Amino acid sequence: MTGALSGMAFVLSSPSALPQASNAEDASGQQAFNNACRTCHIMREGDNRLGPNLHKVIGRKAGSLPEYAFSSAMKEAGFVWDEEKLDRFIANPEEVVPGNNMKPYGGLSSSEDRKKIIAFLAQAR
């Protein structure tokens, strides 16, 4: 009986490893977002700060959030945010949209942190 119980405990504990890993990845992405972005941005829809909210930013036309006063450079950027564009922008905003209002933020060099942030932003789709 003890073997059956320990086997059952193993089976019951194994699936929980996946949600914990996912939670760890979520926490890691949120931490990277908090460290690099949260000074100016938030994920809550309709809650703009110094920067626009980033709720459902992936798939949104750059500079198009109606309740935020974007720079003319961002309004005229002419693209839709996707993961590749976000990666390039987070790395070097001025290179992607010259004349944007992200200063003094100059970019995030860590590709790993950018990947975590983009995964965190993608959760809001």
Side-chain angles (χ1 to χ4, degrees):
M1 196 82 158
T2 306
L5 288 177
S6 63
M8 181 61 102
F10 174 78
V11 170
L12 290 175
S13 67
S14 294
S16 67
L18 292 176
Q20 288 172 357
S22 179
N23 289 340
E25 289 171 11
D26 293 349
S28 176
Q30 183 166 8
Q31 185 65 46
F33 175 85
N34 289 349
N35 290 343
C37 312
R38 192 169 149 201
T39 299
C40 300
H41 298 279
I42 196 159
M43 292 291 293
R44 189 172 28 249
E45 184 176 16
D47 190 357
N48 297 312
R49 304 287 169 101
L50 184 56
N53 78 75
L54 298 177
H55 180 76
K56 295 187 178 181
V57 68
I58 296 175
R60 180 193 306 161
K61 184 178 185 292
S64 68
L65 197 61
E67 60 273 356
Y68 186 78
F70 288 97
S71 66
S72 57
M74 190 61 75
K75 286 180 188 176
E76 297 166 7
F79 62 81
V80 172
W81 291 112
D82 61 20
E83 290 161 357
E84 183 273 332
K85 188 69 82 173
L86 277 169
D87 183 55
R88 289 183 47 230
F89 187 78
I90 295 167
N92 187 344
E94 193 63 25
E95 182 179 282
V96 176
V97 182
N100 71 76
N101 285 342
M102 292 275 291
K103 289 140 191 86
Y105 176 82
L108 180 62
S109 60
S110 169
S111 61
E112 185 175 326
D113 284 346
R114 292 193 313 267
K115 182 179 176 182
K116 289 176 186 176
I117 290 167
I118 292 165
F120 178 70
L121 294 173
Q123 293 173 3
R125 283 191 215 178

